[in-house]
Amino acid sequence: MLTGRQISDPSATHIDIQSQRYADGAFKDLAYYSEDVKKRAKLIYHLGDNTQ
């Protein structure tokens, strides 16, 4: 489990943005299965459909 991005630049100011959330146990729910991703989708693109 990572607490955010993997950054090799130690001078990056945003390197620990997610560290406190991790320490607090404030994890984000992830949609792993296809049906769960589709339930959360705000827009679904169909190949050849140029309307939005």
Side-chain angles (χ1 to χ4, degrees):
M1 181 180 289
L2 301 174
T3 60
R5 300 181 192 192
Q6 289 181 315
I7 300 173
S8 59
D9 180 5
S11 67
T13 58
H14 59 283
I15 197 165
D16 63 352
I17 289 174
Q18 297 295 321
S19 298
Q20 190 59 54
R21 287 182 57 89
Y22 177 80
D24 294 341
F27 305 113
K28 295 180 181 179
D29 290 330
L30 296 178
Y32 183 78
Y33 295 103
S34 179
E35 59 270 14
D36 295 331
V37 173
K38 289 176 183 175
K39 287 178 191 174
R40 294 178 179 206
K42 294 180 181 176
L43 176 69
I44 297 176
Y45 173 77
H46 299 282
L47 187 61
D49 183 8
N50 294 324
T51 61
Q52 290 190 18

